[in-house]
PDB file of all heavy atoms in Angstrom:
ATOM      1  N   LEU A 179      73.424 109.548  -0.013  1.00  0.00           N
ATOM      2  CA  LEU A 179      73.849 110.850  -0.415  1.00  0.00           C
ATOM      3  C   LEU A 179      73.696 111.012  -1.917  1.00  0.00           C
ATOM      4  O   LEU A 179      73.205 112.032  -2.391  1.00  0.00           O
ATOM      5  CB  LEU A 179      75.313 111.137   0.045  1.00  0.00           C
ATOM      6  CG  LEU A 179      75.883 112.452  -0.381  1.00  0.00           C
ATOM      7  CD1 LEU A 179      75.133 113.589   0.281  1.00  0.00           C
ATOM      8  CD2 LEU A 179      77.348 112.522   0.010  1.00  0.00           C
ATOM      9  N   TRP A 180      74.081 110.007  -2.672  1.00  0.00           N
ATOM     10  CA  TRP A 180      73.910 110.046  -4.105  1.00  0.00           C
ATOM     11  C   TRP A 180      72.435 110.201  -4.485  1.00  0.00           C
ATOM     12  O   TRP A 180      72.051 111.061  -5.336  1.00  0.00           O
ATOM     13  CB  TRP A 180      74.458 108.756  -4.804  1.00  0.00           C
ATOM     14  CG  TRP A 180      74.307 108.784  -6.305  1.00  0.00           C
ATOM     15  CD1 TRP A 180      73.181 108.582  -7.032  1.00  0.00           C
ATOM     16  CD2 TRP A 180      75.286 109.144  -7.237  1.00  0.00           C
ATOM     17  NE1 TRP A 180      73.385 108.667  -8.356  1.00  0.00           N
ATOM     18  CE2 TRP A 180      74.723 109.057  -8.481  1.00  0.00           C
ATOM     19  CE3 TRP A 180      76.637 109.512  -7.155  1.00  0.00           C
ATOM     20  CZ2 TRP A 180      75.392 109.300  -9.691  1.00  0.00           C
ATOM     21  CZ3 TRP A 180      77.348 109.753  -8.287  1.00  0.00           C
ATOM     22  CH2 TRP A 180      76.721 109.672  -9.555  1.00  0.00           C
ATOM     23  N   GLN A 181      71.596 109.438  -3.862  1.00  0.00           N
ATOM     24  CA  GLN A 181      70.125 109.504  -4.188  1.00  0.00           C
ATOM     25  C   GLN A 181      69.531 110.850  -3.806  1.00  0.00           C
ATOM     26  O   GLN A 181      68.589 111.302  -4.487  1.00  0.00           O
ATOM     27  CB  GLN A 181      69.401 108.372  -3.501  1.00  0.00           C
ATOM     28  CG  GLN A 181      69.790 107.053  -4.131  1.00  0.00           C
ATOM     29  CD  GLN A 181      69.254 105.802  -3.296  1.00  0.00           C
ATOM     30  OE1 GLN A 181      68.821 105.935  -2.182  1.00  0.00           O
ATOM     31  NE2 GLN A 181      69.319 104.675  -3.940  1.00  0.00           N
ATOM     32  N   GLN A 182      70.045 111.510  -2.805  1.00  0.00           N
ATOM     33  CA  GLN A 182      69.547 112.869  -2.434  1.00  0.00           C
ATOM     34  C   GLN A 182      69.995 113.833  -3.490  1.00  0.00           C
ATOM     35  O   GLN A 182      69.193 114.737  -3.831  1.00  0.00           O
ATOM     36  CB  GLN A 182      70.085 113.236  -1.036  1.00  0.00           C
ATOM     37  CG  GLN A 182      69.540 112.539   0.126  1.00  0.00           C
ATOM     38  CD  GLN A 182      70.258 112.891   1.401  1.00  0.00           C
ATOM     39  OE1 GLN A 182      71.150 113.710   1.468  1.00  0.00           O
ATOM     40  NE2 GLN A 182      69.887 112.149   2.478  1.00  0.00           N
ATOM     41  N   ARG A 183      71.242 113.747  -3.945  1.00  0.00           N
ATOM     42  CA  ARG A 183      71.752 114.769  -4.863  1.00  0.00           C
ATOM     43  C   ARG A 183      71.420 114.523  -6.273  1.00  0.00           C
ATOM     44  O   ARG A 183      71.295 115.491  -7.078  1.00  0.00           O
ATOM     45  CB  ARG A 183      73.284 114.814  -4.717  1.00  0.00           C
ATOM     46  CG  ARG A 183      73.705 115.168  -3.283  1.00  0.00           C
ATOM     47  CD  ARG A 183      74.494 116.414  -3.256  1.00  0.00           C
ATOM     48  NE  ARG A 183      74.723 116.798  -1.862  1.00  0.00           N
ATOM     49  CZ  ARG A 183      75.946 116.937  -1.305  1.00  0.00           C
ATOM     50  NH1 ARG A 183      77.021 116.723  -2.041  1.00  0.00           N
ATOM     51  NH2 ARG A 183      76.074 117.339  -0.070  1.00  0.00           N
ATOM     52  N   TRP A 184      71.291 113.255  -6.702  1.00  0.00           N
ATOM     53  CA  TRP A 184      71.049 112.899  -8.136  1.00  0.00           C
ATOM     54  C   TRP A 184      69.931 111.903  -8.204  1.00  0.00           C
ATOM     55  O   TRP A 184      70.073 110.827  -8.717  1.00  0.00           O
ATOM     56  CB  TRP A 184      72.356 112.332  -8.732  1.00  0.00           C
ATOM     57  CG  TRP A 184      73.580 113.097  -8.417  1.00  0.00           C
ATOM     58  CD1 TRP A 184      74.576 112.753  -7.533  1.00  0.00           C
ATOM     59  CD2 TRP A 184      73.949 114.348  -8.930  1.00  0.00           C
ATOM     60  NE1 TRP A 184      75.599 113.729  -7.543  1.00  0.00           N
ATOM     61  CE2 TRP A 184      75.184 114.732  -8.408  1.00  0.00           C
ATOM     62  CE3 TRP A 184      73.339 115.236  -9.867  1.00  0.00           C
ATOM     63  CZ2 TRP A 184      75.836 115.924  -8.679  1.00  0.00           C
ATOM     64  CZ3 TRP A 184      73.977 116.451 -10.132  1.00  0.00           C
ATOM     65  CH2 TRP A 184      75.218 116.758  -9.572  1.00  0.00           C
ATOM     66  N   PRO A 185      68.709 112.312  -7.820  1.00  0.00           N
ATOM     67  CA  PRO A 185      67.611 111.328  -7.744  1.00  0.00           C
ATOM     68  C   PRO A 185      67.151 110.779  -9.101  1.00  0.00           C
ATOM     69  O   PRO A 185      66.529 109.677  -9.149  1.00  0.00           O
ATOM     70  CB  PRO A 185      66.450 112.116  -7.076  1.00  0.00           C
ATOM     71  CG  PRO A 185      66.787 113.543  -7.387  1.00  0.00           C
ATOM     72  CD  PRO A 185      68.344 113.624  -7.378  1.00  0.00           C
ATOM     73  N   SER A 186      67.467 111.426 -10.223  1.00  0.00           N
ATOM     74  CA  SER A 186      67.036 110.965 -11.529  1.00  0.00           C
ATOM     75  C   SER A 186      68.050 110.123 -12.180  1.00  0.00           C
ATOM     76  O   SER A 186      67.978 109.868 -13.406  1.00  0.00           O
ATOM     77  CB  SER A 186      66.712 112.166 -12.380  1.00  0.00           C
ATOM     78  OG  SER A 186      65.661 112.892 -11.846  1.00  0.00           O
ATOM     79  N   CYS A 187      69.051 109.542 -11.440  1.00  0.00           N
ATOM     80  CA  CYS A 187      70.150 108.874 -12.061  1.00  0.00           C
ATOM     81  C   CYS A 187      70.744 107.792 -11.162  1.00  0.00           C
ATOM     82  O   CYS A 187      70.955 108.103  -9.957  1.00  0.00           O
ATOM     83  CB  CYS A 187      71.204 109.846 -12.473  1.00  0.00           C
ATOM     84  SG  CYS A 187      72.577 109.176 -13.366  1.00  0.00           S
ATOM     85  N   PRO A 188      71.002 106.628 -11.655  1.00  0.00           N
ATOM     86  CA  PRO A 188      71.736 105.641 -10.837  1.00  0.00           C
ATOM     87  C   PRO A 188      73.211 106.070 -10.646  1.00  0.00           C
ATOM     88  O   PRO A 188      73.645 106.994 -11.398  1.00  0.00           O
ATOM     89  CB  PRO A 188      71.671 104.373 -11.660  1.00  0.00           C
ATOM     90  CG  PRO A 188      71.497 104.821 -13.074  1.00  0.00           C
ATOM     91  CD  PRO A 188      70.734 106.123 -12.998  1.00  0.00           C
ATOM     92  N   PRO A 189      73.903 105.502  -9.705  1.00  0.00           N
ATOM     93  CA  PRO A 189      75.311 105.930  -9.501  1.00  0.00           C
ATOM     94  C   PRO A 189      76.278 105.478 -10.544  1.00  0.00           C
ATOM     95  O   PRO A 189      77.155 104.646 -10.330  1.00  0.00           O
ATOM     96  CB  PRO A 189      75.601 105.356  -8.099  1.00  0.00           C
ATOM     97  CG  PRO A 189      74.705 104.193  -7.992  1.00  0.00           C
ATOM     98  CD  PRO A 189      73.446 104.523  -8.768  1.00  0.00           C
ATOM     99  N   VAL A 190      76.072 105.984 -11.752  1.00  0.00           N
ATOM    100  CA  VAL A 190      76.882 105.655 -12.897  1.00  0.00           C
ATOM    101  C   VAL A 190      77.218 106.995 -13.562  1.00  0.00           C
ATOM    102  O   VAL A 190      76.338 107.678 -14.119  1.00  0.00           O
ATOM    103  CB  VAL A 190      76.158 104.697 -13.953  1.00  0.00           C
ATOM    104  CG1 VAL A 190      77.078 104.400 -15.106  1.00  0.00           C
ATOM    105  CG2 VAL A 190      75.713 103.437 -13.272  1.00  0.00           C
ATOM    106  N   GLY A 191      78.482 107.393 -13.476  1.00  0.00           N
ATOM    107  CA  GLY A 191      78.948 108.739 -13.861  1.00  0.00           C
ATOM    108  C   GLY A 191      78.420 109.210 -15.216  1.00  0.00           C
ATOM    109  O   GLY A 191      77.849 110.266 -15.332  1.00  0.00           O
ATOM    110  N   TYR A 192      78.625 108.420 -16.327  1.00  0.00           N
ATOM    111  CA  TYR A 192      78.253 108.916 -17.642  1.00  0.00           C
ATOM    112  C   TYR A 192      76.738 109.087 -17.795  1.00  0.00           C
ATOM    113  O   TYR A 192      76.336 109.828 -18.681  1.00  0.00           O
ATOM    114  CB  TYR A 192      78.832 107.985 -18.691  1.00  0.00           C
ATOM    115  CG  TYR A 192      78.087 106.683 -18.861  1.00  0.00           C
ATOM    116  CD1 TYR A 192      77.026 106.533 -19.702  1.00  0.00           C
ATOM    117  CD2 TYR A 192      78.471 105.549 -18.110  1.00  0.00           C
ATOM    118  CE1 TYR A 192      76.315 105.363 -19.858  1.00  0.00           C
ATOM    119  CE2 TYR A 192      77.923 104.332 -18.309  1.00  0.00           C
ATOM    120  CZ  TYR A 192      76.792 104.247 -19.133  1.00  0.00           C
ATOM    121  OH  TYR A 192      76.132 103.047 -19.248  1.00  0.00           O
ATOM    122  N   LYS A 193      75.960 108.424 -16.931  1.00  0.00           N
ATOM    123  CA  LYS A 193      74.503 108.608 -17.083  1.00  0.00           C
ATOM    124  C   LYS A 193      74.001 109.919 -16.500  1.00  0.00           C
ATOM    125  O   LYS A 193      72.860 110.265 -16.678  1.00  0.00           O
ATOM    126  CB  LYS A 193      73.809 107.429 -16.335  1.00  0.00           C
ATOM    127  CG  LYS A 193      74.019 106.139 -17.083  1.00  0.00           C
ATOM    128  CD  LYS A 193      73.117 105.020 -16.561  1.00  0.00           C
ATOM    129  CE  LYS A 193      73.327 103.763 -17.430  1.00  0.00           C
ATOM    130  NZ  LYS A 193      72.326 102.780 -17.103  1.00  0.00           N
ATOM    131  N   LEU A 194      74.880 110.717 -15.914  1.00  0.00           N
ATOM    132  CA  LEU A 194      74.527 112.089 -15.376  1.00  0.00           C
ATOM    133  C   LEU A 194      74.267 113.040 -16.505  1.00  0.00           C
ATOM    134  O   LEU A 194      73.638 114.058 -16.377  1.00  0.00           O
ATOM    135  CB  LEU A 194      75.631 112.574 -14.420  1.00  0.00           C
ATOM    136  CG  LEU A 194      75.718 111.989 -13.090  1.00  0.00           C
ATOM    137  CD1 LEU A 194      76.999 112.370 -12.465  1.00  0.00           C
ATOM    138  CD2 LEU A 194      74.519 112.378 -12.225  1.00  0.00           C
ATOM    139  N   ARG A 195      74.922 112.769 -17.687  1.00  0.00           N
ATOM    140  CA  ARG A 195      74.861 113.683 -18.815  1.00  0.00           C
ATOM    141  C   ARG A 195      73.453 114.094 -19.208  1.00  0.00           C
ATOM    142  O   ARG A 195      73.166 115.294 -19.398  1.00  0.00           O
ATOM    143  CB  ARG A 195      75.535 113.056 -20.058  1.00  0.00           C
ATOM    144  CG  ARG A 195      76.985 113.319 -20.113  1.00  0.00           C
ATOM    145  CD  ARG A 195      77.529 112.831 -21.421  1.00  0.00           C
ATOM    146  NE  ARG A 195      77.356 111.371 -21.435  1.00  0.00           N
ATOM    147  CZ  ARG A 195      78.147 110.538 -21.975  1.00  0.00           C
ATOM    148  NH1 ARG A 195      79.215 110.962 -22.704  1.00  0.00           N
ATOM    149  NH2 ARG A 195      77.905 109.224 -21.991  1.00  0.00           N
ATOM    150  N   ASP A 196      72.549 113.172 -19.374  1.00  0.00           N
ATOM    151  CA  ASP A 196      71.205 113.464 -19.893  1.00  0.00           C
ATOM    152  C   ASP A 196      70.345 114.140 -18.837  1.00  0.00           C
ATOM    153  O   ASP A 196      69.872 115.241 -19.101  1.00  0.00           O
ATOM    154  CB  ASP A 196      70.565 112.266 -20.510  1.00  0.00           C
ATOM    155  CG  ASP A 196      71.285 111.817 -21.831  1.00  0.00           C
ATOM    156  OD1 ASP A 196      71.794 112.682 -22.530  1.00  0.00           O
ATOM    157  OD2 ASP A 196      71.332 110.618 -22.008  1.00  0.00           O
ATOM    158  N   PRO A 197      70.071 113.534 -17.712  1.00  0.00           N
ATOM    159  CA  PRO A 197      69.173 114.158 -16.785  1.00  0.00           C
ATOM    160  C   PRO A 197      69.678 115.455 -16.168  1.00  0.00           C
ATOM    161  O   PRO A 197      68.929 116.286 -15.646  1.00  0.00           O
ATOM    162  CB  PRO A 197      68.819 113.083 -15.768  1.00  0.00           C
ATOM    163  CG  PRO A 197      69.984 112.171 -15.797  1.00  0.00           C
ATOM    164  CD  PRO A 197      70.480 112.218 -17.241  1.00  0.00           C
ATOM    165  N   TYR A 198      71.020 115.610 -16.150  1.00  0.00           N
ATOM    166  CA  TYR A 198      71.656 116.774 -15.460  1.00  0.00           C
ATOM    167  C   TYR A 198      72.532 117.567 -16.446  1.00  0.00           C
ATOM    168  O   TYR A 198      73.561 118.073 -16.101  1.00  0.00           O
ATOM    169  CB  TYR A 198      72.402 116.319 -14.264  1.00  0.00           C
ATOM    170  CG  TYR A 198      71.510 115.669 -13.213  1.00  0.00           C
ATOM    171  CD1 TYR A 198      71.485 114.355 -13.072  1.00  0.00           C
ATOM    172  CD2 TYR A 198      70.688 116.478 -12.410  1.00  0.00           C
ATOM    173  CE1 TYR A 198      70.632 113.725 -12.131  1.00  0.00           C
ATOM    174  CE2 TYR A 198      69.859 115.867 -11.557  1.00  0.00           C
ATOM    175  CZ  TYR A 198      69.823 114.503 -11.362  1.00  0.00           C
ATOM    176  OH  TYR A 198      68.948 113.924 -10.451  1.00  0.00           O
ATOM    177  N   ARG A 199      72.037 117.700 -17.676  1.00  0.00           N
ATOM    178  CA  ARG A 199      72.805 118.397 -18.684  1.00  0.00           C
ATOM    179  C   ARG A 199      73.257 119.785 -18.314  1.00  0.00           C
ATOM    180  O   ARG A 199      74.318 120.229 -18.649  1.00  0.00           O
ATOM    181  CB  ARG A 199      72.010 118.409 -20.020  1.00  0.00           C
ATOM    182  CG  ARG A 199      72.816 118.994 -21.155  1.00  0.00           C
ATOM    183  CD  ARG A 199      72.173 118.659 -22.490  1.00  0.00           C
ATOM    184  NE  ARG A 199      72.146 117.276 -22.862  1.00  0.00           N
ATOM    185  CZ  ARG A 199      73.144 116.612 -23.306  1.00  0.00           C
ATOM    186  NH1 ARG A 199      74.317 117.119 -23.464  1.00  0.00           N
ATOM    187  NH2 ARG A 199      73.018 115.322 -23.611  1.00  0.00           N
ATOM    188  N   GLY A 200      72.464 120.472 -17.514  1.00  0.00           N
ATOM    189  CA  GLY A 200      72.797 121.822 -17.098  1.00  0.00           C
ATOM    190  C   GLY A 200      73.952 121.979 -16.192  1.00  0.00           C
ATOM    191  O   GLY A 200      74.537 123.017 -16.046  1.00  0.00           O
ATOM    192  N   VAL A 201      74.310 120.902 -15.560  1.00  0.00           N
ATOM    193  CA  VAL A 201      75.512 120.875 -14.622  1.00  0.00           C
ATOM    194  C   VAL A 201      76.606 119.972 -15.063  1.00  0.00           C
ATOM    195  O   VAL A 201      77.616 119.774 -14.382  1.00  0.00           O
ATOM    196  CB  VAL A 201      75.092 120.607 -13.170  1.00  0.00           C
ATOM    197  CG1 VAL A 201      74.187 121.743 -12.637  1.00  0.00           C
ATOM    198  CG2 VAL A 201      74.463 119.255 -13.034  1.00  0.00           C
ATOM    199  N   TRP A 202      76.399 119.284 -16.179  1.00  0.00           N
ATOM    200  CA  TRP A 202      77.400 118.297 -16.658  1.00  0.00           C
ATOM    201  C   TRP A 202      78.632 119.018 -17.229  1.00  0.00           C
ATOM    202  O   TRP A 202      78.500 120.043 -17.950  1.00  0.00           O
ATOM    203  CB  TRP A 202      76.816 117.415 -17.744  1.00  0.00           C
ATOM    204  CG  TRP A 202      77.782 116.508 -18.382  1.00  0.00           C
ATOM    205  CD1 TRP A 202      78.377 116.707 -19.613  1.00  0.00           C
ATOM    206  CD2 TRP A 202      78.335 115.259 -17.919  1.00  0.00           C
ATOM    207  NE1 TRP A 202      79.223 115.682 -19.906  1.00  0.00           N
ATOM    208  CE2 TRP A 202      79.190 114.780 -18.857  1.00  0.00           C
ATOM    209  CE3 TRP A 202      78.052 114.561 -16.771  1.00  0.00           C
ATOM    210  CZ2 TRP A 202      79.868 113.590 -18.675  1.00  0.00           C
ATOM    211  CZ3 TRP A 202      78.749 113.377 -16.580  1.00  0.00           C
ATOM    212  CH2 TRP A 202      79.639 112.929 -17.527  1.00  0.00           C
ATOM    213  N   VAL A 203      79.798 118.549 -16.900  1.00  0.00           N
ATOM    214  CA  VAL A 203      81.012 119.110 -17.442  1.00  0.00           C
ATOM    215  C   VAL A 203      81.999 117.968 -17.726  1.00  0.00           C
ATOM    216  O   VAL A 203      82.042 116.973 -17.041  1.00  0.00           O
ATOM    217  CB  VAL A 203      81.612 120.158 -16.515  1.00  0.00           C
ATOM    218  CG1 VAL A 203      82.086 119.585 -15.225  1.00  0.00           C
ATOM    219  CG2 VAL A 203      82.780 120.925 -17.180  1.00  0.00           C
ATOM    220  N   ARG A 204      82.773 118.163 -18.779  1.00  0.00           N
ATOM    221  CA  ARG A 204      83.802 117.141 -19.096  1.00  0.00           C
ATOM    222  C   ARG A 204      85.144 117.879 -19.197  1.00  0.00           C
ATOM    223  O   ARG A 204      85.251 118.905 -19.879  1.00  0.00           O
ATOM    224  CB  ARG A 204      83.447 116.465 -20.410  1.00  0.00           C
ATOM    225  CG  ARG A 204      84.517 115.461 -20.774  1.00  0.00           C
ATOM    226  CD  ARG A 204      84.177 114.765 -22.038  1.00  0.00           C
ATOM    227  NE  ARG A 204      85.260 113.827 -22.403  1.00  0.00           N
ATOM    228  CZ  ARG A 204      85.307 113.148 -23.504  1.00  0.00           C
ATOM    229  NH1 ARG A 204      84.359 113.201 -24.335  1.00  0.00           N
ATOM    230  NH2 ARG A 204      86.307 112.401 -23.774  1.00  0.00           N
ATOM    231  N   PHE A 205      86.161 117.384 -18.589  1.00  0.00           N
ATOM    232  CA  PHE A 205      87.459 117.914 -18.631  1.00  0.00           C
ATOM    233  C   PHE A 205      88.307 116.972 -19.520  1.00  0.00           C
ATOM    234  O   PHE A 205      88.342 115.794 -19.228  1.00  0.00           O
ATOM    235  CB  PHE A 205      88.083 118.015 -17.284  1.00  0.00           C
ATOM    236  CG  PHE A 205      87.387 119.003 -16.365  1.00  0.00           C
ATOM    237  CD1 PHE A 205      86.461 118.570 -15.468  1.00  0.00           C
ATOM    238  CD2 PHE A 205      87.586 120.373 -16.493  1.00  0.00           C
ATOM    239  CE1 PHE A 205      85.795 119.426 -14.635  1.00  0.00           C
ATOM    240  CE2 PHE A 205      86.939 121.251 -15.706  1.00  0.00           C
ATOM    241  CZ  PHE A 205      86.007 120.805 -14.772  1.00  0.00           C
ATOM    242  N   HIS A 206      88.958 117.533 -20.533  1.00  0.00           N
ATOM    243  CA  HIS A 206      89.786 116.749 -21.372  1.00  0.00           C
ATOM    244  C   HIS A 206      91.106 116.495 -20.660  1.00  0.00           C
ATOM    245  O   HIS A 206      91.680 117.374 -20.122  1.00  0.00           O
ATOM    246  CB  HIS A 206      90.025 117.425 -22.750  1.00  0.00           C
ATOM    247  CG  HIS A 206      88.778 117.466 -23.539  1.00  0.00           C
ATOM    248  ND1 HIS A 206      88.385 116.461 -24.379  1.00  0.00           N
ATOM    249  CD2 HIS A 206      87.755 118.373 -23.586  1.00  0.00           C
ATOM    250  CE1 HIS A 206      87.233 116.746 -24.936  1.00  0.00           C
ATOM    251  NE2 HIS A 206      86.872 117.936 -24.490  1.00  0.00           N
ATOM    252  N   SER A 207      91.566 115.263 -20.715  1.00  0.00           N
ATOM    253  CA  SER A 207      92.744 114.845 -19.923  1.00  0.00           C
ATOM    254  C   SER A 207      94.036 115.059 -20.661  1.00  0.00           C
ATOM    255  O   SER A 207      95.100 115.216 -20.021  1.00  0.00           O
ATOM    256  CB  SER A 207      92.593 113.382 -19.565  1.00  0.00           C
ATOM    257  OG  SER A 207      91.443 113.177 -18.779  1.00  0.00           O
ATOM    258  N   LEU A 208      94.038 115.030 -21.975  1.00  0.00           N
ATOM    259  CA  LEU A 208      95.270 115.164 -22.723  1.00  0.00           C
ATOM    260  C   LEU A 208      95.109 116.157 -23.856  1.00  0.00           C
ATOM    261  O   LEU A 208      93.970 116.450 -24.282  1.00  0.00           O
ATOM    262  CB  LEU A 208      95.628 113.765 -23.354  1.00  0.00           C
ATOM    263  CG  LEU A 208      96.089 112.728 -22.304  1.00  0.00           C
ATOM    264  CD1 LEU A 208      96.066 111.352 -22.980  1.00  0.00           C
ATOM    265  CD2 LEU A 208      97.448 113.057 -21.767  1.00  0.00           C
ATOM    266  N   PRO A 209      96.214 116.731 -24.316  1.00  0.00           N
ATOM    267  CA  PRO A 209      96.172 117.673 -25.422  1.00  0.00           C
ATOM    268  C   PRO A 209      95.471 117.058 -26.633  1.00  0.00           C
ATOM    269  O   PRO A 209      95.563 115.829 -26.850  1.00  0.00           O
ATOM    270  CB  PRO A 209      97.625 118.021 -25.680  1.00  0.00           C
ATOM    271  CG  PRO A 209      98.329 117.662 -24.403  1.00  0.00           C
ATOM    272  CD  PRO A 209      97.577 116.571 -23.794  1.00  0.00           C
ATOM    273  N   GLY A 210      94.790 117.861 -27.354  1.00  0.00           N
ATOM    274  CA  GLY A 210      94.099 117.417 -28.593  1.00  0.00           C
ATOM    275  C   GLY A 210      92.911 116.462 -28.310  1.00  0.00           C
ATOM    276  O   GLY A 210      92.491 115.726 -29.139  1.00  0.00           O
ATOM    277  N   SER A 211      92.397 116.554 -27.105  1.00  0.00           N
ATOM    278  CA  SER A 211      91.293 115.743 -26.644  1.00  0.00           C
ATOM    279  C   SER A 211      91.560 114.206 -26.743  1.00  0.00           C
ATOM    280  O   SER A 211      90.611 113.435 -26.820  1.00  0.00           O
ATOM    281  CB  SER A 211      89.989 116.051 -27.466  1.00  0.00           C
ATOM    282  OG  SER A 211      89.619 117.436 -27.260  1.00  0.00           O
ATOM    283  N   LYS A 212      92.765 113.845 -26.740  1.00  0.00           N
ATOM    284  CA  LYS A 212      93.140 112.467 -26.686  1.00  0.00           C
ATOM    285  C   LYS A 212      92.599 111.852 -25.442  1.00  0.00           C
ATOM    286  O   LYS A 212      92.671 112.443 -24.362  1.00  0.00           O
ATOM    287  CB  LYS A 212      94.715 112.337 -26.751  1.00  0.00           C
ATOM    288  CG  LYS A 212      95.180 110.918 -26.866  1.00  0.00           C
ATOM    289  CD  LYS A 212      96.700 110.878 -27.011  1.00  0.00           C
ATOM    290  CE  LYS A 212      97.223 109.455 -27.047  1.00  0.00           C
ATOM    291  NZ  LYS A 212      98.645 109.459 -27.179  1.00  0.00           N
ATOM    292  N   ARG A 213      92.046 110.639 -25.516  1.00  0.00           N
ATOM    293  CA  ARG A 213      91.347 110.031 -24.398  1.00  0.00           C
ATOM    294  C   ARG A 213      92.233 109.242 -23.447  1.00  0.00           C
ATOM    295  O   ARG A 213      92.018 109.211 -22.228  1.00  0.00           O
ATOM    296  CB  ARG A 213      90.243 109.146 -24.907  1.00  0.00           C
ATOM    297  CG  ARG A 213      89.150 109.995 -25.568  1.00  0.00           C
ATOM    298  CD  ARG A 213      87.969 109.165 -25.889  1.00  0.00           C
ATOM    299  NE  ARG A 213      87.234 108.888 -24.661  1.00  0.00           N
ATOM    300  CZ  ARG A 213      85.977 108.598 -24.585  1.00  0.00           C
ATOM    301  NH1 ARG A 213      85.256 108.539 -25.646  1.00  0.00           N
ATOM    302  NH2 ARG A 213      85.394 108.342 -23.423  1.00  0.00           N
ATOM    303  N   TYR A 214      93.243 108.546 -23.927  1.00  0.00           N
ATOM    304  CA  TYR A 214      93.987 107.625 -23.083  1.00  0.00           C
ATOM    305  C   TYR A 214      95.499 107.876 -23.177  1.00  0.00           C
ATOM    306  O   TYR A 214      96.051 108.022 -24.252  1.00  0.00           O
ATOM    307  CB  TYR A 214      93.707 106.189 -23.468  1.00  0.00           C
ATOM    308  CG  TYR A 214      92.225 105.823 -23.411  1.00  0.00           C
ATOM    309  CD1 TYR A 214      91.466 105.691 -24.541  1.00  0.00           C
ATOM    310  CD2 TYR A 214      91.604 105.663 -22.172  1.00  0.00           C
ATOM    311  CE1 TYR A 214      90.139 105.405 -24.533  1.00  0.00           C
ATOM    312  CE2 TYR A 214      90.223 105.388 -22.110  1.00  0.00           C
ATOM    313  CZ  TYR A 214      89.483 105.277 -23.274  1.00  0.00           C
ATOM    314  OH  TYR A 214      88.216 104.983 -23.215  1.00  0.00           O
ATOM    315  N   ALA A 215      96.082 107.894 -22.037  1.00  0.00           N
ATOM    316  CA  ALA A 215      97.574 108.048 -21.992  1.00  0.00           C
ATOM    317  C   ALA A 215      98.264 106.829 -22.521  1.00  0.00           C
ATOM    318  O   ALA A 215      97.788 105.699 -22.249  1.00  0.00           O
ATOM    319  CB  ALA A 215      98.005 108.328 -20.527  1.00  0.00           C
ATOM    320  N   GLU A 216      99.337 106.981 -23.238  1.00  0.00           N
ATOM    321  CA  GLU A 216     100.053 105.847 -23.836  1.00  0.00           C
ATOM    322  C   GLU A 216     101.452 105.671 -23.188  1.00  0.00           C
ATOM    323  O   GLU A 216     102.070 104.646 -23.440  1.00  0.00           O
ATOM    324  CB  GLU A 216     100.129 106.019 -25.317  1.00  0.00           C
ATOM    325  CG  GLU A 216      98.772 105.935 -25.945  1.00  0.00           C
ATOM    326  CD  GLU A 216      98.862 106.118 -27.498  1.00  0.00           C
ATOM    327  OE1 GLU A 216      99.973 106.207 -28.026  1.00  0.00           O
ATOM    328  OE2 GLU A 216      97.774 106.179 -28.098  1.00  0.00           O
ATOM    329  N   ASP A 217     101.968 106.685 -22.523  1.00  0.00           N
ATOM    330  CA  ASP A 217     103.294 106.533 -21.928  1.00  0.00           C
ATOM    331  C   ASP A 217     103.351 107.353 -20.641  1.00  0.00           C
ATOM    332  O   ASP A 217     102.448 108.046 -20.280  1.00  0.00           O
ATOM    333  CB  ASP A 217     104.369 106.958 -22.905  1.00  0.00           C
ATOM    334  CG  ASP A 217     104.221 108.362 -23.439  1.00  0.00           C
ATOM    335  OD1 ASP A 217     103.831 109.261 -22.605  1.00  0.00           O
ATOM    336  OD2 ASP A 217     104.529 108.613 -24.606  1.00  0.00           O
ATOM    337  N   GLU A 218     104.523 107.268 -19.948  1.00  0.00           N
ATOM    338  CA  GLU A 218     104.665 107.952 -18.638  1.00  0.00           C
ATOM    339  C   GLU A 218     104.487 109.437 -18.723  1.00  0.00           C
ATOM    340  O   GLU A 218     103.927 110.065 -17.839  1.00  0.00           O
ATOM    341  CB  GLU A 218     106.010 107.579 -18.010  1.00  0.00           C
ATOM    342  CG  GLU A 218     106.078 106.174 -17.461  1.00  0.00           C
ATOM    343  CD  GLU A 218     105.024 105.875 -16.399  1.00  0.00           C
ATOM    344  OE1 GLU A 218     104.820 106.716 -15.516  1.00  0.00           O
ATOM    345  OE2 GLU A 218     104.410 104.803 -16.491  1.00  0.00           O
TER     346      GLU A 218
END
């Protein structure tokens, strides 16, 4: 299924950015674009 949908990319999420730039989207998880949660 992956190879049918994303033939120009191995099954590695971040590698979708370049060959599929037109459909790539990133959702920020924390306020201020902070990347990692530090507490509950």
Side-chain angles (χ1 to χ4, degrees):
L179 181 61
W180 180 281
Q181 291 170 345
Q182 289 173 5
R183 302 241 172 119
W184 313 107
S186 298
C187 183
V190 179
Y192 74 89
K193 291 189 174 189
L194 287 165
R195 272 185 297 212
D196 292 326
Y198 298 102
R199 185 163 296 281
V201 295
W202 174 260
V203 65
R204 178 178 176 185
F205 296 98
H206 292 271
S207 302
L208 290 165
S211 297
K212 185 175 177 181
R213 293 188 73 155
Y214 303 105
E216 295 178 5
D217 58 38
E218 287 301 316

